Amino acid sequence: MKPLPSLLCCREALGLGTGLMMLLALPWRVVMVLEPGWLLLVLLVIACMAGFAGGGVSVQHGNDPSAALRFGAWTAFLAALVAASIFALSSRLMESWIFVFKAGTAGLLSLLPVTFYGMVCSGIAALTLARQDAPTSPATPASPPSSAMIWSLRILIALLLMLAVVLPPASPLRFVAPQPTPQFQRPVQTAAPRPAFAFTPSPDIEHASAMQWRFLKQREVSGVDASTLALSPDDRYVACLAREQQAVQVIDLRTEAVWHVNLPGKVEHFSFNPSGERLLAVWLLDGERFYGVADIRGGRVTTLPKPRKGIVPSGTPFWWKDTKVLVVQNQDRLMLNLDNLEIDDAAQDEEWKALDPLIQQKLTREVVPALMDKAQWQWEVRRFIRRSELPEIAGQSKWPLTLERCLAISHPLLDCMTVFPSLDVKEGERLCSTRDGSVVLRTLDGVLHLYYFDVEPLPDLVWKIAMPHAPEDGEHGKDVTRALESGQLAALVYRPMINPLNQKVVGPLREEALGVLRFLEWKGKEATVYLWQRRSPIKEGDIIADVCSLTDEPEGELLTLNTLHRWWSRLPATNGGSLTPPKASLRHEQTSVVKKREGEQNAVQVAREAAERRKREEEDEAASVRMAAEKTAAMEAERKAAEKAALTDEVAPKLKDMVVRFVTAHHKKSLEGDVQGMVADYADKVDYFTNGMVDRDWIWRDEATYHNAHLMFEERVIGDMTVKHSTQGDGYAVSYDLRLQAQNMGTRKAVGGVFSVKMVITHTSEGMRIILQHSEKKP
C-alpha cells in the first residue's frame, strides 16, 4: 500500500492539511479579530480549496459525482474546523479576554457558511474533473487508508479543537476593550519603554541653601480628596482621603506603588504609626464615630473598641509613639492609650509631660501637614515678575509688569529666594511638604500633585557692575538715591537680544525675566548687586537692565538714569569675592529709617499746617465766644428786667413761653426714646421723684432701663402749664398734667395714666436745666 495515495483518499487528512494553511494568516490575527469579515474570508478560501481538492481527488479515483460531492463537503468542514481552532488558540496570546471571546465566536459562526461554499466548490470539481470517455480498462482504485490512520487523524483534530476550547491562557488577561487598529499603517518607530518612577532625596537637601534648590520632576495621583492628608514619620508615604470618602489611598513617594485601604464608614481623620506600616483611622458609621487600625499593604482593618469612657473625640489624631496617640481638638490636647484604650487629658500623661515644650509644639504642628522650614530654607508662596515691557513701547505711563504667584523657597535670614514659575499657585490652594522639603504636595480638583526637588551647586550671588554715573546725578537722581537708601533699588536680569544681521547684543529680551538683583551699594560709577529672586540660572553675559524701585510684593516704579537710551549692561563674571546677600532685616531697617525720616518731615509740615489752622480756629472761636457772651448778657438783662417788672409771682409771658417750649421738648425726647437728650436737660444734681438727690449718671441708667423695657405710645401735656417764680432760688416752678401711655415689652401689659407733675427749672450758662422733678398719679 502506497501511503500518499491512501492519504489523498482520506478526507480527515485532506481537511487537516488544508486547515493548517491558517498558520500563514496568523500575522494578521489582530486585524481578523477586530474585523471578523477578514476571518470569514480566510476560512472561506481554505474551505473552498479543501472542497475543490476533495471533490477532484474523489472523482479521479473513480467515485461518482454524488459521492465526490459528499467527500468534498466533509473535507471543507474539517479544514474550516481545524483553521478556526488554530485561530482560537492564537488569540490566547493577546491582551484581553474580549479578543479570545471574539475569536472563538467568529470562528464558530463561520463554519456553516464556509462549509456550504466548500460543498459548492466540491461539486464544481466533481463535474469538471469527471472522466468524459469510458476507460479502455477499468480504473484501479487506490487502496483505502487503514482504520488506525483514520482514527489517529480524527483524534488529532478533536485534540486540537479541545485545546482551543479549554486551554488556559499563557498569562492573566485583563478585561479591557480593544482599541481599533487601522488595517494598514505606516511603520513607526517604537518609543523606548518608560522607566519605572524612582526618587531618592539628596542627603544634602535638608541643609542646602535656598538658592541651591531646583525643580526635578512631578507626579500626579487622581481620585483623591484634599480635605485630609497625612505623612509617615520617615516621609516615605503619604495617605490621602479617597474621593468616595470611605477609603484611604497610601502613596509611596519614592516609587510608583499605591495602596487602596477600604474602611467601614466615612473617613474623618487618619495618622501613620511611627514605623509607617499602619494607619490609625477615625470614621463615622450610622452616626457613631469609631477608631480602627489598618494594615497598609495587607489592607486588613481592625476596629478598636470604644475607649472606656465611651467617647471617640472628633479631633485629629497623631500616632507619635507605639502605644500613644495625641488627639488635637480645637484648643484641647487629649492622649489615647492603645494599651488600655483610656483617653485622658494629655497634660496628665507622664511621657508627654516629660517632653520638652518645644518638642511638644513641634509634634502638635505635625498633626496637620504644612509647608516646612529649616535653618537654611523655608517654603512659601510668592509673586514674581514673569515679563516686563517699557512704558513707552506699551503706550502707557505706568511700568507694565506681569506678576504671577508661584511656589518659592527663601532663606529665613538672608535676603534671597528661588521661585519656581512652573508651579503656579492659586488662592485658597492647600500646600504641604515633607519634613526635609524634598517633596511638595498640592491637591487640586481631585488630583494630588507631587513636586520633587533636588539641589545643585551654589550659584553666583554677588557682582560688581559698572554704572554710567553716580546715583545722585541726573534729573531723577533724588528718586534713585531714595530707593538706594531704602534698600528698594533693584534691576532685572534678562537673556540678551541678538541682532541676527551682525550677531551683536542690542539689549535685553524682556519676554522672560530670569531674576531680580538688588543694589547693595552704589558709589560713584561702581555698584554692588546681589541676587534677590532667582527664577532661572543666571550666567555671565546675561543682561541687567530696568533699574527700578521695587518692593517685596514685588511692585515697582521704573527709574530713568542720565543716559541717552534706557540703560542696560552685560553681567560680568562674578567678582563679589566672599560677599553674600545681606540679611533681610537690614533692608527692612533701611526702609524703616527712610520712612521714619520722611514721616518726621511730613510731621513737621503737618504740624506747621495744623498750627496755622488752629490759629484760625482760635480766632473764630474767640469771636463766637464774644458773640455768645453778648447774647447771654442781653438775655440775663431781659430776664432780670422782667422779674423786677413783675407785680406777682407770675413770670413774664416771654419767659413763660421759653419754659413751656423747654418742657414740651423734654417730653418729646422721652416719647421718641432720646434718652441722651433727656438726660442733657437735667442739672448735675436733681431732686428726682422719690429717689432724693441723684446725679445725671443715675438718671441716665434709670431712663435707659425704663425705655428699653417699655414701648412708648403717648407722653403729652394736658391743658395749660402754670409757671411761677420758684421759692427755692433763681428758677421757675412749673406745674402741669401729663398723659402717659406705654406697654411693657416683656409682659405685654399696658401701663400709664394721667400724672400731676411739678418741676423746678433754673438758668445756667449752658441753658435751662431741671433741678427738681416730682409726679403723682391722679385717680
Side-chain angles (χ1 to χ4, degrees), residues 140-157:
T140 303
S143 58
S146 63
S147 60
M149 180 183 295
I150 294 175
W151 280 103
S152 297
L153 292 173
R154 289 177 179 175
I155 291 174
L156 183 60
I157 294 173

Side-chain angles (χ1 to χ4, degrees), residues 91-308:
S91 67
R92 301 283 171 141
L93 302 177
M94 304 178 78
E95 296 181 351
S96 172
W97 276 108
I98 296 180
F99 287 140
V100 177
F101 176 76
K102 290 184 67 174
T105 305
L108 179 63
L109 296 178
S110 301
L111 287 179
L112 289 180
V114 300
T115 301
F116 173 76
Y117 284 100
M119 183 178 64
V120 172
C121 291
S122 174
I124 294 173
L127 294 176
T128 56
L129 300 180
R131 296 185 180 184
Q132 302 298 326
D133 299 327
T136 56
S137 60
T140 303
S143 58
S146 63
S147 60
M149 180 183 295
I150 294 175
W151 280 103
S152 297
L153 292 173
R154 289 177 179 175
I155 291 174
L156 183 60
I157 294 173
L159 181 61
L160 184 63
L161 177 62
M162 182 180 67
L163 290 176
V165 175
V166 301
L167 185 67
S171 61
L173 300 178
R174 297 176 291 110
F175 286 94
V176 295
Q179 300 295 325
T181 303
Q183 180 179 353
F184 301 104
Q185 291 183 337
R186 293 183 179 180
V188 295
Q189 184 177 0
T190 304
R194 181 181 177 183
F197 181 87
F199 173 72
T200 302
S202 170
D204 303 325
I205 195 168
E206 190 168 354
H207 305 289
S209 169
M211 305 305 284
Q212 294 181 255
W213 287 61
R214 65 185 180 95
F215 175 60
L216 190 62
K217 54 187 173 181
Q218 74 178 66
R219 176 184 170 197
E220 296 180 355
V221 180
S222 58
V224 300
D225 190 326
S227 59
T228 307
L229 286 175
L231 285 163
S232 63
D234 60 355
D235 286 338
R236 178 65 185 267
Y237 308 103
V238 59
C240 50
L241 185 63
R243 184 173 292 178
E244 63 271 19
Q245 297 187 344
Q246 287 196 345
V248 176
Q249 286 198 43
V250 181
I251 302 155
D252 190 337
L253 295 178
R254 301 181 186 177
T255 68
E256 290 183 330
V258 177
W259 296 274
H260 196 83
V261 181
N262 292 312
L263 294 170
K266 182 179 179 181
V267 183
E268 289 188 335
H269 306 288
F270 43 82
S271 175
F272 283 95
N273 73 327
S275 65
E277 298 175 350
R278 296 187 293 171
L279 281 174
L280 176 74
V282 184
W283 65 80
L284 279 174
L285 181 62
D286 296 332
E288 293 190 59
R289 190 174 285 108
F290 294 90
Y291 279 132
V293 176
D295 182 71
I296 294 175
R297 289 177 172 81
R300 186 169 62 90
V301 179
T302 303
T303 303
L304 301 180
K306 288 195 173 184
R308 293 187 178 181

Side-chain angles (χ1 to χ4, degrees), residues 319-532:
W319 198 343
W320 67 283
K321 202 168 183 181
D322 289 339
T323 60
K324 298 292 179 67
V325 178
L326 175 68
V327 182
V328 178
Q329 185 174 3
N330 297 328
Q331 301 300 320
D332 297 331
R333 304 290 183 267
L334 306 176
M335 191 67 67
L336 171 64
N337 190 323
L338 295 179
D339 280 340
N340 54 23
L341 297 181
E342 289 280 5
I343 186 164
D344 297 300
D345 192 343
Q348 301 177 3
D349 186 85
E350 296 298 330
E351 293 179 318
W352 180 258
K353 289 192 297 184
L355 295 177
D356 186 272
L358 293 178
I359 298 179
Q360 292 182 0
Q361 184 178 3
K362 178 177 178 294
L363 292 174
T364 304
R365 280 183 57 196
E366 293 183 3
V367 172
V368 179
L371 290 174
M372 303 303 291
D373 57 80
K374 297 290 182 180
Q376 297 290 325
W377 53 264
Q378 61 183 9
W379 283 112
E380 58 184 343
V381 177
R382 295 295 294 260
R383 293 207 303 175
F384 73 99
I385 301 174
R386 180 173 290 277
R387 66 180 63 88
S388 72
E389 189 51 86
L390 295 178
E392 54 266 27
I393 295 179
Q396 60 186 63
S397 58
K398 189 178 179 180
W399 188 23
L401 289 178
T402 301
L403 302 177
E404 295 181 7
R405 287 164 49 92
C406 72
L407 189 64
I409 189 166
S410 62
H411 198 289
L413 298 178
L414 301 183
D415 193 25
C416 56
M417 72 185 74
T418 300
V419 298
F420 303 98
S422 58
L423 310 182
D424 60 314
V425 180
K426 299 179 177 60
E427 292 286 350
E429 286 187 359
R430 181 181 179 186
L431 296 169
C432 60
S433 68
T434 55
R435 293 166 184 83
D436 63 358
S438 62
V439 185
V440 174
L441 302 90
R442 178 175 74 165
T443 49
L444 179 64
D445 298 331
V447 179
L448 177 64
H449 299 262
L450 305 173
Y451 303 112
Y452 294 85
F453 295 85
D454 200 0
V455 293
E456 58 187 1
L458 188 67
D460 298 334
L461 299 177
V462 182
W463 296 266
K464 290 184 180 295
I465 60 174
M467 300 301 295
H469 54 76
E472 63 273 10
D473 294 344
E475 182 181 354
H476 301 277
K478 184 177 180 181
D479 296 333
V480 174
T481 303
R482 181 196 177 281
L484 179 63
E485 292 176 348
S486 63
Q488 294 184 350
L489 189 64
L492 274 60
V493 183
Y494 306 96
R495 295 283 183 227
M497 178 186 291
I498 299 177
N499 186 344
L501 299 178
N502 53 21
Q503 300 302 312
K504 290 184 178 180
V505 177
V506 295
L509 195 62
R510 291 184 171 86
E511 294 179 356
E512 179 180 323
L514 304 181
V516 178
L517 303 178
R518 287 196 180 273
F519 283 75
L520 187 59
E521 64 177 3
W522 181 357
K523 295 180 179 180
K525 292 186 177 183
E526 184 181 76
T528 303
V529 296
Y530 65 92
L531 184 56
W532 174 65

